[in-house]
Amino acid sequence: MHEPESPSTFLRIHGTLANRNFIGLLVAQFLAAFNDQAIHAAAMFFAINTQALTERAAISLMPILFYAPWAIFCTVAGWLADRYSKRNALVFWKLAEIAITAVALLGFYLGRNGHPELGPWVVLSTVFLMGTHSAFFVPAKYGVMPEILPPHLLSKGNGLLESLSFLAVILGTVSGGVLSYLFLGNELVIGVILLGLAVVGALASFLIRKMQAANPTLPFPPYIYGPIVGNVKELFAVPALRLAAQGIAFFTFVVAFMRAAVYMLGESQNPRWDELKTSVVVGSVALGIGLGSPAAGWLSGRHVELRLVLLGAVGMILALVGAATFIDEVAILVSCIVAIGFFTGFYIVPLFTLLQHKAPKERKGEMIAASNAVNIVGAISASLLFFGVVFLAQKFGLSPEVTNRQAVVSGKLTDLELLHGRPVYFEVTPENGSRVEGGRKPRPQEARSFEQVVKHIFEGGRSRDILELHKDIALDRKDQDVDVSKYVIGEVTHYDLVPAGVPPTPDYDNHHLPRFLFFGAAAMTLAILVLLVRPVLRLRKSV
């Protein structure tokens, strides 16, 4: 049995980046971040494809499901990270990840085997469970960094940690969409893959050697949410910690807001992007962060270089303006989104390092958990702001209601064809027996081939009819009485299929909204830049 090592012994023996503890942490964190995002994307598309949620509801709900546990458990997470060995916390939650992915596997099975009303919600519950996993895992992950790396390696270590974390976010986000695309109707395979990765990540966490708790006598807080108020006040009372907390909270806000904006961009296209293409574009911001984070760590050298925060914010603003300007040019848009991520890496790495460096040694877990509580405000505010902006845009005409709707036919739905979870062709037979159809039947070669994957990633979609189904129309029944209406946006005809006698819900042209969302994100980043300039310049020489 190895005795737990004290932090000083740890740093003396393992004071380089090339040690089993840091490598074990990197692998465990990489696979945790991958599964976080893969489950996030796969659950969202599974809910949409099984009609458990509409696109807008799914986009708005995902951040709330994931980040709500951070607020609920922030006090307990901080206390556990300091009261017990952070290594034990990391191992425990990697084992818990195995159980969570097993629940996702069960949900996928239920959703495609006789319980379509239950399975999607079981899978959606795992987004909340992975949020709980992260709420406890993150304080231990960031809190353990100063215990396994000496101060002069923290910036480089954080740069590498963030780079691999966001590489995992890229792969997880894209893989969630790709796997949903490839295994539509057979999502059980997705569950098996995620479960296998969780097992590998849990094994990697055992590479971290046992270490002592930072504060083994810390009592459990008598009031579960009382301490977080005091910790947040203490966090904001110290200028360096206040700067870090505010800056990281804005990072969480803008990432959540931009993710929703890109999903809205994909859903508002004519024709709309499928889950594969949307996931690739969403993941491109993480690609940029994966490139920018190690660059920020290298430029910081042996100390915390806060001027990179300002450089990162300026770069984000310029890239956001570029994305808004060229939003209809997919290649330029993706390049701008990668640039947004690159400068976000410059922005975030010094702030995470500053928080780890300046937090009291015996209370790092509590301080990081308090910072996470502030982050929750940013993440949920982004989700609420996005929902509110969409509502106001529709109310005040920025996203105008469609007015050219025409009735097409009423009768029996005799054929309904799907492609990658989306309805693409219908056939309705009215009482007089004449057949009316819309859309186009999918050709056999379109069915989830590798060539089709590459084509969807690198080519724009062709103009074609879009079908919208009312939530009460079952995908597996072709004898339902339906009313069909249509309207045109640009060169694309949209068909609405609703149960007979049910009026269609209003439809809106959201095509121009994402441009304003990107400009809005640039304006908000400019505001935070103005707020951070003075504290950054005042503090940079003291760290």
Side-chain angles (χ1 to χ4, degrees):
M1 281 298 278
H2 293 287
E3 290 297 322
E5 298 172 354
S6 68
S8 60
T9 303
F10 225 86
L11 295 181
R12 186 174 65 251
I13 298 175
H14 311 294
T16 70
L17 293 180
N19 68 80
R20 58 177 282 180
N21 308 289
F22 188 53
I23 292 171
L25 176 64
L26 290 179
V27 175
Q29 158 61 16
F30 180 91
L31 293 175
F34 181 96
N35 273 350
D36 276 346
Q37 299 307 312
I39 286 178
H40 189 124
M44 184 183 73
F45 289 124
F46 190 57
I48 293 172
N49 291 338
T50 56
Q51 295 187 292
L53 291 173
T54 64
E55 287 91 344
R56 187 176 73 168
I59 292 170
S60 299
L61 181 62
M62 292 301 108
I64 296 173
L65 284 176
F66 185 75
Y67 286 111
W70 292 42
I72 297 170
F73 302 115
C74 55
T75 298
V76 178
W79 175 78
L80 286 173
D82 290 327
R83 173 64 176 80
Y84 298 100
S85 167
K86 294 180 180 63
R87 182 263 189 187
N88 291 348
L90 295 170
V91 171
F92 174 85
W93 285 104
K94 289 303 296 181
L95 294 173
E97 188 180 323
I98 297 175
I100 294 169
T101 51
V103 173
L105 178 63
L106 174 63
F108 287 130
Y109 174 81
L110 293 174
R112 294 302 187 185
N113 290 273
H115 300 279
E117 74 291 342
L118 176 62
W121 291 102
V122 173
V123 178
L124 287 169
S125 74
T126 62
V127 179
F128 180 88
L129 293 175
M130 285 303 289
T132 302
H133 168 282
S134 293
F136 286 91
F137 190 83
V138 167
K141 175 188 77 173
Y142 285 120
V144 82
M145 287 285 284
E147 297 184 19
I148 64 176
L149 294 177
H152 70 275
L153 287 178
L154 268 182
S155 286
K156 290 183 179 179
N158 274 304
L160 185 56
L161 181 70
E162 291 305 304
S163 175
L164 289 179
S165 295
F166 282 100
L167 176 60
V169 169
I170 301 167
L171 296 176
T173 301
V174 174
S175 295
V178 170
L179 293 174
S180 297
Y181 181 90
L182 293 175
F183 298 108
L184 177 67
N186 191 26
E187 288 87 357
L188 199 65
V189 176
I190 302 175
V192 171
I193 292 172
L194 298 177
L195 179 60
L197 293 176
V199 171
V200 174
L203 293 174
S205 69
F206 283 97
L207 289 174
I208 305 172
R209 295 184 184 273
K210 294 181 179 179
M211 63 181 69
Q212 293 178 352
N215 193 354
T217 60
L218 183 67
F220 188 81
Y223 303 102
I224 194 66
Y225 293 109
I228 198 64
V229 176
N231 289 338
V232 169
K233 288 181 178 178
E234 185 176 345
L235 195 68
F236 278 77
V238 180
L241 296 179
R242 180 171 64 247
L243 170 64
Q246 290 174 335
I248 294 170
F250 176 73
F251 161 77
T252 307
F253 170 90
V254 77
V255 167
F257 186 83
M258 288 305 302
R259 176 190 286 260
V262 176
Y263 279 131
M264 170 60 76
L265 174 64
E267 292 296 329
S268 64
Q269 295 298 299
N270 278 313
R272 70 165 56 91
W273 295 346
D274 62 17
E275 54 267 49
L276 173 63
K277 188 168 184 176
T278 301
S279 296
V280 169
V281 177
V282 170
S284 63
V285 68
L287 171 62
I289 297 176
L291 297 172
S293 293
W298 180 78
L299 290 172
S300 296
R302 300 169 66 92
H303 63 285
V304 183
E305 181 49 82
L306 290 179
R307 287 177 295 183
L308 291 177
V309 175
L310 304 181
L311 176 60
V314 171
M316 289 165 63
I317 293 168
L318 296 176
L320 283 164
V321 171
T325 303
F326 298 102
I327 201 165
D328 294 323
E329 302 292 334
V330 176
I332 300 176
L333 171 67
V334 170
S335 299
C336 290
I337 290 177
V338 172
I340 293 168
F342 181 83
F343 286 105
T344 299
F346 275 43
Y347 171 89
I348 197 63
V349 166
L351 293 173
F352 273 127
T353 306
L354 180 65
L355 178 62
Q356 294 163 356
H357 183 59
K358 290 296 185 179
K361 181 176 69 174
E362 71 282 358
R363 300 182 59 223
K364 289 187 187 294
E366 286 188 349
M367 291 295 99
I368 292 172
S371 176
N372 286 343
V374 179
N375 294 344
I376 297 312
V377 177
I380 294 181
S381 296
S383 184
L384 295 176
L385 177 63
F386 173 80
F387 191 86
V389 167
V390 173
F391 173 80
L392 292 174
Q394 294 175 350
K395 184 175 179 63
F396 292 103
L398 183 61
S399 295
E401 183 176 351
V402 171
T403 58
N404 61 357
R405 184 187 300 276
Q406 300 175 350
V408 176
V409 66
S410 297
K412 291 282 186 183
L413 180 63
T414 51
D415 195 7
L416 181 64
E417 300 285 346
L418 305 179
L419 179 64
H420 311 308
R422 306 282 191 178
V424 295
Y425 173 82
F426 74 89
E427 180 183 284
V428 172
T429 304
E431 290 185 358
N432 62 15
S434 60
R435 187 183 67 178
V436 178
E437 60 182 357
R440 62 182 177 87
K441 287 190 175 184
R443 295 189 296 271
Q445 64 266 29
E446 292 182 305
R448 300 187 293 280
S449 65
F450 177 77
E451 292 79 9
Q452 204 58 17
V453 172
V454 175
K455 185 176 182 179
H456 272 280
I457 292 174
F458 292 104
E459 294 185 6
R462 299 187 304 275
S463 295
R464 59 173 178 263
D465 298 344
I466 293 178
L467 275 59
E468 304 281 358
L469 299 185
H470 189 277
K471 62 182 180 63
D472 291 333
I473 293 181
L475 296 176
D476 56 350
R477 285 183 50 206
K478 299 180 180 178
D479 60 346
Q480 304 162 83
D481 291 312
V482 299
D483 294 334
V484 181
S485 60
K486 70 177 182 179
Y487 58 90
V488 177
I489 297 178
E491 299 178 356
V492 179
T493 300
H494 297 246
Y495 289 94
D496 263 346
L497 279 68
V498 300
V502 176
T505 57
D507 288 288
Y508 298 88
D509 182 0
N510 293 318
H511 180 69
H512 298 292
L513 181 57
R515 185 187 306 275
F516 292 97
L517 294 175
F518 276 82
F519 276 127
M524 289 183 286
T525 306
L526 177 60
I528 201 68
L529 173 63
V530 172
L531 291 175
L532 293 182
V533 167
R534 288 184 63 187
V536 164
L537 296 180
R538 186 169 60 246
L539 287 169
R540 73 178 185 86
K541 293 183 179 179
S542 64
V543 294

